[in-house]
Amino acid sequence: MNPIKIIIAGPRGRMGREAVNLVTNTEHFELTAVLDHKFDGMMLSDLEGFQSIANVPIYTDIDICLQKIEADVLIDLTTPEAGPHHVRTALNYNVRPVVGTTGFSKEELQEFEELCKQKELGCIIAPNFAIGAVLMMKFSQLAAKYFQDVEIVEMHHDKKLDAPSGTAVKTAEMIAAVREAKKQGHPNEKETIQGARGAEYDGMHIHSVRLPGLIAHQQVMFGSDGQSLTIRHDSFNRASFMSGVKVAVETVMKHNGFVYGLENILD
Amino acid sequence: MNPIKIIIAGPRGRMGREAVNLVTNTEHFELTAVLDHKFDGMMLSDLEGFQSIANVPIYTDIDICLQKIEADVLIDLTTPEAGPHHVRTALNYNVRPVVGTTGFSKEELQEFEELCKQKELGCIIAPNFAIGAVLMMKFSQLAAKYFQDVEIVEMHHDKKLDAPSGTAVKTAEMIAAVREAKKQGHPNEKETIQGARGAEYDGMHIHSVRLPGLIAHQQVMFGSDGQSLTIRHDSFNRASFMSGVKVAVETVMKHNGFVYGLENILD
Amino acid sequence: MNPIKIIIAGPRGRMGREAVNLVTNTEHFELTAVLDHKFDGMMLSDLEGFQSIANVPIYTDIDICLQKIEADVLIDLTTPEAGPHHVRTALNYNVRPVVGTTGFSKEELQEFEELCKQKELGCIIAPNFAIGAVLMMKFSQLAAKYFQDVEIVEMHHDKKLDAPSGTAVKTAEMIAAVREAKKQGHPNEKETIQGARGAEYDGMHIHSVRLPGLIAHQQVMFGSDGQSLTIRHDSFNRASFMSGVKVAVETVMKHNGFVYGLENILD
Amino acid sequence: MNPIKIIIAGPRGRMGREAVNLVTNTEHFELTAVLDHKFDGMMLSDLEGFQSIANVPIYTDIDICLQKIEADVLIDLTTPEAGPHHVRTALNYNVRPVVGTTGFSKEELQEFEELCKQKELGCIIAPNFAIGAVLMMKFSQLAAKYFQDVEIVEMHHDKKLDAPSGTAVKTAEMIAAVREAKKQGHPNEKETIQGARGAEYDGMHIHSVRLPGLIAHQQVMFGSDGQSLTIRHDSFNRASFMSGVKVAVETVMKHNGFVYGLENILD
């Protein structure tokens, strides 16, 4: 089997560095070039932290890169500004995009879907590549068909500004999509200190714990007569995203069409 | 909608009492009779603990019961001795069995499958009706496709004799059915006290905690680079089985054919 | 060693029944009488649920009971109305009270303390006899000296009306007594759904989960650089209170003086 | 208040780097020199990773260092070979040692205790500086007085070679020191797969989970009638040790005498 030839856009970011590690350490993957906004014409091994990685040229212009370098997949881990142009261009050069960048507009998503059909290519955009987190959300949605009562407790380091976390809200949305809305708790329950029962989303309650030392954790708890079912994800570091990138690269080579969200390729 | 008419076999056992509660407290269910090995001709309300339940006659002969009493479903919570005869007879009277009894032989299961086809009826036999436990096993099997590394920790009261628990072994079997066998842990790992790494099943490790006060708990832990995913079920009392019985009764009315195992009707 | 002779007030309540079990099943304890507001002159074995318990007379008048029956300890599990009179009377008859009743006034507590000194007797009043819960609170207070950042997540069945639970508030009070108040979380944190960050008590956050199936659970989480410490108590049923009653009975025989709160006799 | 003047031995090790961070970022601490086995005469800021740290000279000879540099405390994070000589020499120069190095002999510990008395100085040697882990062990020992039944589940990354972990064994030793030995579980319990019930230590059971992604976690579970008490420590990274080093430095300045084990200065 020939290795899958891969270009990484954004190799020096925190996710990008993990992706370079992933691609160069996976037997059937091959890193053929990187796209950066600096260092055109240099080699990746010239940059700090990449000294051991041989024969990977750096490009700043995606068109020139895709004309000169053979590639099956573009892994894009850049910015909302650069992302759309990268996806569009890659597809036009018959290269399949796997994208972790967020912030695409509805119009852009439709455009990519159309383009995938025309070109008969695969393209996967995923705001969250941590397979464990995506499975947690997926299982929660499945469980909600049998357990109407559910609460979410998410726990993060105390530098996080927003509460609840994006993953907690996404989980609640996915549950709300399949269960009849239900106002949980006792109809006459009373908060003796305001906020005790947490945030409410479609009748569910979400609780946000913030403590130094923690990283990113969430548990979804279901209860019914005499039992509870708990689904928990702990993310300890950024490496957790890479198992999802790997699955996405393998999937994008096998299945044509546009996919938004890792949950739609895990079955 | 007409209520589903139900006969319960074994109403005085611990599961049977919960089932009587379930059926009499569910709006679209109706308890039309019970089958017992005693008290023929009496009413259920004559027995201790059932005083409030009106108009439910007790039969000891299943044939007479099914000739006289209208029923859609027979819930059987009796013994390995009585079970097979109950299932066979119910199907012959066009009544759909939902069975929590264990210990059927392979031949009996094949016989029932055949009978369901002939009669175009549904029949569900489930050794475990706790939906939460069944979902835990199902989700564990799904997760094992993406996370090869898994350990099971099951926790029970200290009156339990066997370790690991049946549910833990069943979970390991379901995981083994979908993942390539993998000897987990470090190849050179060493137990300085024997047994520390637990029981091994197809390369997975299973740990059995026994403590007074505990009831029945299990967590399945998956790990991969930088993350872990945990699926946990806590069973606090026997009421936990009833949500599964309810789903089974509703499903057996809608789908013909023979089903073994609650996991095959949860989707 | 002579057994400790014990009278139980309130034997038919839920706690009282557990206490009767405890005393009759503990080798060095002996149940010599019970106090009830009914059934004077009957024997405990005449009442439903107590048939197997021999030779325990029922009294409705505490003075007559204490004059006729030899006792070392009175376990009082009655009501706020009856409690104070029982404590006072017991001490006057040189019987040591162990009391689970709540709602005493400050004046009453001072009166009992004085009376204990005069009579050189022990007396223990404890609003919570679950040793595990009391240790959880005590350990939380100890940990708060080294970890300023703490959040409390308490989880109960969804029939509970008030949030947070009394135990959660008591835990927060005990922590607040030893740590400098600290407003936790990021100074600029923002709730995108109101209530996400829970109830605030002295800068700590408390979260109340309510789900059917749950019983009474609490975890206290401490975080600091690179680590977290969690102390959790699960109460599965009322039997959990009895280990505390046992310790209290043994302690009240050995140590004179008045004690309020089980935490003050656990060291 | 004058800052506490500190020398760090072993600044380039993983623990040493954290210690340099701690001391230079704590207001009332001052780093006056470092001891290394290389780079004599250079400044710490000459070395990679320390560029921003001004005015800290490097010494390779502890005698010369202590003659030239004013110091209250020596933090030693070196090797079993260098450690004893560093402790002895520091005390002779009236500098108080705080030591994370392991492997001291009984004779050396006695010698240091004697020396501390003579010189009227404090000295703290601690094999584990993670306050959370030390509190977990201490609380477990306290709880074991009231709950005889306990099991330990420790969870680590799958590169760990030995099972159970050193912390798990230390915890079991501390519990065994205060409770009567008790063979736990059912007297007739039976392992259907060998090892299910884990390692046995003085009647307690210890279970070792190994999974990629995990870091270092332990939970100690106590059970009794109707309740359980769980004490859990999660160590996410090496920074977790620094809160203990900080407490030790502050304590060694206030209390004379020799202390072995962080648990003996936490009260």
Side-chain angles (χ1 to χ4, degrees):
Chain A
M1 185 174 78
N2 284 335
I4 301 174
K5 291 182 162 52
I6 297 170
I7 294 170
I8 293 173
R12 289 181 298 117
R14 286 188 298 185
M15 293 279 286
R17 284 179 189 270
E18 294 286 348
V20 169
N21 268 338
L22 171 77
V23 172
T24 55
N25 288 315
T26 301
E27 215 175 335
H28 57 292
F29 286 3
E30 182 185 340
L31 185 62
T32 54
V34 298
L35 264 174
D36 202 317
H37 64 279
K38 297 204 285 192
F39 306 119
D40 195 50
M42 290 173 69
M43 299 300 284
L44 189 55
S45 56
D46 296 332
L47 305 188
E48 205 192 312
F50 298 107
Q51 285 89 340
S52 65
I53 296 172
N55 296 324
V56 177
I58 307 175
Y59 288 85
T60 53
D61 185 307
I62 186 172
D63 280 280
I64 295 175
C65 177
L66 293 174
Q67 284 157 19
K68 295 215 176 150
I69 299 291
E70 216 182 324
D72 303 302
V73 172
L74 171 74
I75 298 176
D76 190 83
L77 302 163
T78 58
T79 62
E81 289 71 39
H85 178 58
H86 285 173
V87 173
R88 202 176 283 126
T89 312
L91 286 169
N92 280 323
Y93 282 91
N94 293 309
V95 171
R96 295 154 191 261
V98 166
V99 184
T101 313
T102 55
F104 293 94
S105 70
K106 258 196 186 163
E107 290 70 31
E108 285 164 343
L109 298 181
Q110 282 175 341
E111 175 201 343
F112 302 152
E113 181 155 17
E114 196 50 47
L115 204 50
C116 281
K117 260 190 220 153
Q118 274 175 37
K119 307 282 294 184
E120 297 188 346
L121 287 173
C123 172
I124 298 172
I125 299 183
N128 189 344
F129 269 119
I131 283 191
V134 174
L135 288 177
M136 172 184 62
M137 290 187 268
K138 203 179 166 86
F139 295 163
S140 298
Q141 194 180 47
L142 289 169
K145 294 175 63 177
Y146 302 100
F147 293 105
Q148 264 207 301
D149 293 278
V150 53
E151 303 217 356
I152 299 171
V153 181
E154 53 94 344
M155 294 154 280
H156 285 82
H157 53 84
D158 64 349
K159 301 210 175 73
K160 191 169 179 62
L161 288 175
D162 53 316
S165 70
T167 299
V169 173
K170 181 81 194 296
T171 306
E173 285 170 4
M174 285 177 65
I175 292 172
V178 300
R179 74 159 202 170
E180 238 177 293
K182 178 183 173 182
K183 175 126 187 52
Q184 292 182 197
H186 194 286
N188 299 328
E189 71 180 10
K190 201 180 73 184
E191 288 181 343
T192 57
I193 308 179
Q194 199 194 329
R197 289 286 287 121
E200 199 190 311
Y201 183 99
D202 202 44
M204 282 170 261
H205 293 250
I206 307 176
H207 310 271
S208 300
V209 172
R210 297 290 176 265
L211 283 171
L214 296 184
I215 306 163
H217 319 263
Q218 179 174 305
Q219 68 185 35
V220 186
M221 300 174 66
F222 294 90
S224 84
D225 281 0
Q227 67 186 316
S228 73
L229 176 69
T230 304
I231 302 163
R232 178 179 175 124
H233 183 249
D234 292 272
S235 178
F236 298 117
N237 63 50
R238 241 153 261 280
S240 65
F241 292 94
M242 290 306 120
S243 49
V245 171
K246 184 160 175 272
V247 169
V249 167
E250 289 162 347
T251 304
V252 86
M253 290 301 293
K254 283 186 287 192
H255 300 291
N256 294 340
F258 179 73
V259 173
Y260 185 82
L262 198 62
E263 61 274 24
N264 297 307
I265 63 168
L266 305 179
D267 53 345
Chain B
M1 186 175 77
N2 284 334
I4 301 174
K5 291 180 161 51
I6 298 170
I7 294 170
I8 293 174
R12 290 180 298 117
R14 286 188 297 185
M15 293 280 286
R17 283 178 190 272
E18 295 286 348
V20 169
N21 269 338
L22 172 77
V23 173
T24 54
N25 288 314
T26 302
E27 215 175 335
H28 57 292
F29 286 4
E30 182 186 340
L31 185 61
T32 55
V34 298
L35 264 173
D36 202 318
H37 65 279
K38 297 204 285 190
F39 307 118
D40 194 51
M42 290 173 69
M43 297 300 283
L44 189 54
S45 55
D46 296 332
L47 305 187
E48 202 190 314
F50 297 106
Q51 286 88 339
S52 65
I53 296 172
N55 296 323
V56 178
I58 306 176
Y59 288 86
T60 53
D61 186 309
I62 185 171
D63 281 279
I64 295 175
C65 177
L66 293 173
Q67 284 157 20
K68 295 215 174 151
I69 299 292
E70 217 180 325
D72 302 303
V73 172
L74 172 75
I75 298 177
D76 189 83
L77 302 164
T78 59
T79 62
E81 289 71 39
H85 178 57
H86 286 175
V87 173
R88 202 176 284 127
T89 312
L91 286 168
N92 279 325
Y93 282 91
N94 292 310
V95 171
R96 296 155 189 259
V98 166
V99 185
T101 313
T102 55
F104 294 94
S105 71
K106 258 195 187 162
E107 290 69 32
E108 285 166 342
L109 299 181
Q110 282 175 342
E111 177 200 341
F112 302 152
E113 183 155 15
E114 196 49 47
L115 204 50
C116 282
K117 262 191 220 150
Q118 274 176 38
K119 307 283 294 185
E120 295 187 347
L121 287 173
C123 172
I124 297 173
I125 298 183
N128 189 342
F129 270 119
I131 284 192
V134 174
L135 288 177
M136 172 183 63
M137 289 188 267
K138 203 178 164 88
F139 295 162
S140 297
Q141 193 180 48
L142 289 169
K145 294 174 63 178
Y146 302 99
F147 292 105
Q148 264 207 301
D149 292 279
V150 54
E151 304 216 355
I152 299 171
V153 181
E154 52 94 344
M155 294 154 280
H156 285 82
H157 53 84
D158 63 349
K159 301 210 176 77
K160 191 170 179 63
L161 288 175
D162 53 316
S165 70
T167 299
V169 173
K170 180 84 194 297
T171 306
E173 284 170 4
M174 286 176 65
I175 291 172
V178 300
R179 74 159 203 172
E180 238 177 292
K182 179 184 173 182
K183 176 129 186 45
Q184 291 182 197
H186 194 285
N188 300 327
E189 72 181 10
K190 204 181 70 185
E191 288 181 344
T192 57
I193 308 179
Q194 198 192 329
R197 289 286 286 119
E200 198 189 311
Y201 183 99
D202 201 47
M204 281 170 263
H205 293 250
I206 308 176
H207 310 271
S208 300
V209 172
R210 297 290 175 266
L211 282 171
L214 296 184
I215 307 161
H217 319 264
Q218 179 174 308
Q219 68 185 33
V220 186
M221 300 175 65
F222 294 89
S224 84
D225 282 359
Q227 68 187 316
S228 72
L229 176 69
T230 304
I231 302 163
R232 178 178 176 125
H233 182 249
D234 292 273
S235 178
F236 298 117
N237 62 50
R238 240 154 263 280
S240 65
F241 292 93
M242 290 306 119
S243 49
V245 172
K246 183 159 176 273
V247 169
V249 168
E250 288 162 348
T251 305
V252 86
M253 290 301 293
K254 283 185 287 192
H255 299 292
N256 295 339
F258 178 74
V259 173
Y260 186 81
L262 198 63
E263 61 274 23
N264 297 307
I265 63 168
L266 305 181
D267 54 344
Chain C
M1 187 173 77
N2 284 335
I4 300 175
K5 292 181 160 53
I6 298 170
I7 294 169
I8 294 173
R12 290 180 297 117
R14 285 187 298 185
M15 292 278 287
R17 284 178 189 271
E18 295 286 348
V20 169
N21 269 338
L22 171 77
V23 172
T24 54
N25 289 314
T26 301
E27 214 175 334
H28 57 293
F29 286 3
E30 183 187 339
L31 185 61
T32 54
V34 298
L35 265 173
D36 202 319
H37 64 280
K38 297 205 284 192
F39 306 119
D40 195 50
M42 290 173 69
M43 298 299 284
L44 189 55
S45 55
D46 297 332
L47 305 187
E48 204 190 315
F50 297 106
Q51 285 89 339
S52 65
I53 296 173
N55 295 323
V56 178
I58 306 175
Y59 289 85
T60 53
D61 185 308
I62 186 171
D63 281 280
I64 295 174
C65 177
L66 293 174
Q67 284 157 19
K68 296 215 176 152
I69 299 291
E70 216 181 326
D72 302 304
V73 172
L74 171 75
I75 298 177
D76 189 83
L77 302 164
T78 58
T79 62
E81 288 71 38
H85 179 56
H86 286 173
V87 174
R88 203 175 284 128
T89 312
L91 286 168
N92 279 325
Y93 282 91
N94 293 309
V95 171
R96 297 156 190 259
V98 166
V99 185
T101 314
T102 55
F104 294 93
S105 70
K106 258 194 187 162
E107 290 69 32
E108 286 164 343
L109 299 181
Q110 282 175 342
E111 175 200 342
F112 302 153
E113 183 155 16
E114 196 50 46
L115 203 50
C116 282
K117 260 191 223 152
Q118 274 175 37
K119 309 282 294 183
E120 295 187 347
L121 287 173
C123 171
I124 298 173
I125 298 182
N128 189 342
F129 269 118
I131 284 192
V134 173
L135 288 177
M136 172 184 63
M137 288 188 267
K138 202 178 166 86
F139 295 162
S140 297
Q141 193 179 46
L142 288 169
K145 294 175 63 177
Y146 303 100
F147 292 105
Q148 265 207 300
D149 293 278
V150 53
E151 304 217 355
I152 299 171
V153 181
E154 53 93 346
M155 295 155 279
H156 285 82
H157 53 86
D158 64 349
K159 301 210 175 76
K160 191 171 178 62
L161 289 174
D162 53 317
S165 71
T167 299
V169 173
K170 180 82 193 297
T171 307
E173 284 170 4
M174 285 176 66
I175 292 172
V178 300
R179 73 160 203 169
E180 239 177 292
K182 180 184 171 181
K183 175 128 187 48
Q184 292 183 196
H186 194 286
N188 300 326
E189 71 180 11
K190 204 180 71 183
E191 287 182 343
T192 57
I193 309 179
Q194 198 193 330
R197 289 286 288 120
E200 198 189 313
Y201 183 98
D202 201 46
M204 281 169 263
H205 292 250
I206 307 176
H207 310 271
S208 300
V209 172
R210 297 290 176 266
L211 282 171
L214 295 184
I215 307 162
H217 319 263
Q218 179 175 307
Q219 67 185 33
V220 186
M221 301 174 65
F222 294 89
S224 84
D225 281 0
Q227 68 186 315
S228 73
L229 176 69
T230 304
I231 302 164
R232 177 179 175 124
H233 183 249
D234 292 273
S235 178
F236 297 118
N237 63 49
R238 240 154 261 282
S240 65
F241 292 94
M242 289 306 119
S243 48
V245 171
K246 183 159 176 273
V247 169
V249 167
E250 289 162 348
T251 305
V252 86
M253 289 301 293
K254 283 186 287 192
H255 298 293
N256 295 339
F258 179 73
V259 172
Y260 185 81
L262 198 62
E263 61 274 23
N264 297 307
I265 62 167
L266 306 180
D267 53 344
Chain D
M1 186 175 78
N2 283 335
I4 301 174
K5 290 180 162 53
I6 298 170
I7 294 170
I8 293 174
R12 289 180 297 119
R14 286 188 297 185
M15 292 279 287
R17 283 179 189 272
E18 294 285 350
V20 169
N21 269 338
L22 171 77
V23 172
T24 55
N25 288 315
T26 302
E27 215 175 335
H28 56 293
F29 286 4
E30 183 186 341
L31 185 61
T32 54
V34 298
L35 264 172
D36 202 318
H37 63 279
K38 296 204 284 192
F39 307 119
D40 194 50
M42 290 173 67
M43 298 299 284
L44 189 55
S45 54
D46 297 333
L47 305 187
E48 203 189 313
F50 297 107
Q51 285 89 341
S52 65
I53 296 171
N55 296 324
V56 177
I58 306 175
Y59 289 85
T60 54
D61 186 308
I62 185 171
D63 281 280
I64 295 174
C65 176
L66 293 173
Q67 284 158 19
K68 295 216 176 153
I69 299 290
E70 217 182 323
D72 302 303
V73 171
L74 171 76
I75 298 177
D76 189 83
L77 302 164
T78 58
T79 63
E81 289 71 38
H85 179 57
H86 285 174
V87 173
R88 202 175 284 126
T89 311
L91 286 168
N92 279 324
Y93 282 91
N94 294 310
V95 171
R96 295 156 191 259
V98 166
V99 184
T101 313
T102 55
F104 293 94
S105 70
K106 258 195 186 162
E107 289 70 31
E108 285 165 343
L109 298 181
Q110 282 176 340
E111 177 200 342
F112 302 154
E113 182 154 16
E114 196 50 47
L115 203 50
C116 281
K117 261 190 221 153
Q118 274 176 35
K119 308 282 295 183
E120 296 188 346
L121 286 173
C123 172
I124 297 173
I125 297 183
N128 189 343
F129 271 118
I131 283 191
V134 174
L135 288 176
M136 173 183 62
M137 289 187 268
K138 204 179 164 87
F139 294 163
S140 297
Q141 194 180 46
L142 289 168
K145 293 174 64 179
Y146 303 100
F147 292 105
Q148 264 207 299
D149 292 278
V150 54
E151 304 216 355
I152 300 171
V153 181
E154 53 93 347
M155 294 154 279
H156 285 82
H157 53 85
D158 64 348
K159 300 210 176 73
K160 189 169 181 61
L161 288 175
D162 53 317
S165 70
T167 299
V169 173
K170 180 81 193 297
T171 306
E173 285 171 3
M174 285 176 65
I175 291 172
V178 299
R179 75 159 201 171
E180 237 178 293
K182 177 182 175 184
K183 175 127 187 51
Q184 292 182 197
H186 194 286
N188 300 327
E189 72 181 11
K190 202 181 72 184
E191 287 182 344
T192 57
I193 308 179
Q194 199 193 329
R197 290 286 286 120
E200 198 189 312
Y201 184 99
D202 201 46
M204 282 169 260
H205 292 250
I206 308 176
H207 310 271
S208 300
V209 173
R210 297 290 175 266
L211 283 172
L214 295 184
I215 307 162
H217 319 263
Q218 179 174 308
Q219 68 185 33
V220 186
M221 300 174 65
F222 294 90
S224 83
D225 281 359
Q227 68 186 316
S228 73
L229 176 69
T230 304
I231 303 164
R232 177 178 176 125
H233 183 248
D234 292 272
S235 178
F236 299 118
N237 62 50
R238 241 155 262 279
S240 65
F241 292 93
M242 290 306 121
S243 48
V245 171
K246 183 160 174 272
V247 168
V249 167
E250 288 162 349
T251 305
V252 86
M253 291 300 293
K254 283 186 287 192
H255 299 294
N256 294 340
F258 178 73
V259 173
Y260 185 81
L262 198 62
E263 61 275 24
N264 297 306
I265 63 167
L266 304 180
D267 54 345

